[in-house]
Amino acid sequence: MRRRTLRLRLFWVAVALGVLLLALGGWIVEGLRTAAALLTPTSGSREPRRRNTMRNTTVLIAACTAALATVLGGVSFASAASEGAGGKTLRFVAVDSGRSDRYIDAGEPGEGPGDLDIFNEVNYRTGGGGKPIGHNEITCMFLDQGSARCDGTIFLREGKIEAGGAIHFRKTFRIPVLGGTGAYAGARGELAITELSDHRSGYVVRLLP
């Protein structure tokens, strides 16, 4: 909230500065025009007056252009500050690796409260195939047959992303991004997981600025 308020203040400061420069440019041009009128001969050739008029017009255009550039620059700066510079979306496909998978049945046979599911996934680019781009290590504790609490780490070349939260088993579910390391240090955002088949899931990680 404080960052958003600061960005809004920067935006309005830039706009106010642009308006001030526009007004200042108008006063300067008016002063030049008055001085030129006093120095322009009242008789004889019309050429000096025409030159002064063209000169004043050129100065006016230059002043307006500079002021407009300042306003646009301020607006662009405020817009960039508003959007921030860390937003990123990562998309890939996670495939069950079959390694170190373990299901711990804590109660009656079948999925139920207290059961643990520990598994690994291998990540590939969205198109599938090619070399792996990372892997996931995930632990889920079942709350009942339709929901669980899952925590996982996404290992990528640039660093790790931590995500976790309560989920309800649907085709697509979302959990918050809790942090990260390396290029993803301090990461926050949302992880959406869509079931593509029994052993494949689509991952979309949306990181906030």
Side-chain angles (χ1 to χ4, degrees), residues 150-170:
C150 294
D151 296 281
T153 304
I154 301 173
F155 293 80
L156 299 172
R157 292 191 183 96
E158 300 83 5
K160 297 182 292 185
I161 298 175
E162 293 287 332
I167 67 171
H168 293 275
F169 297 117
R170 301 188 179 99

Side-chain angles (χ1 to χ4, degrees), residues 135-202:
H135 71 281
N136 310 322
E137 296 179 359
I138 303 170
T139 299
C140 291
M141 182 180 70
F142 285 82
L143 304 176
D144 54 42
Q145 291 186 349
S147 62
R149 165 82 195 196
C150 294
D151 296 281
T153 304
I154 301 173
F155 293 80
L156 299 172
R157 292 191 183 96
E158 300 83 5
K160 297 182 292 185
I161 298 175
E162 293 287 332
I167 67 171
H168 293 275
F169 297 117
R170 301 188 179 99
K171 183 175 179 61
T172 299
F173 59 87
R174 293 173 171 80
I175 54 177
V177 172
L178 305 176
T181 64
Y184 309 109
R188 59 195 180 96
E190 180 184 79
L191 167 61
I193 301 176
T194 300
E195 182 181 355
L196 303 177
S197 67
D198 289 342
H199 302 287
R200 297 171 69 250
S201 299

Side-chain angles (χ1 to χ4, degrees), residues 103-115 142 144-145:
Y103 186 86
I104 301 175
D105 198 336
E108 298 179 359
E111 297 176 353
D115 292 357
F142 285 82
D144 54 42
Q145 291 186 349

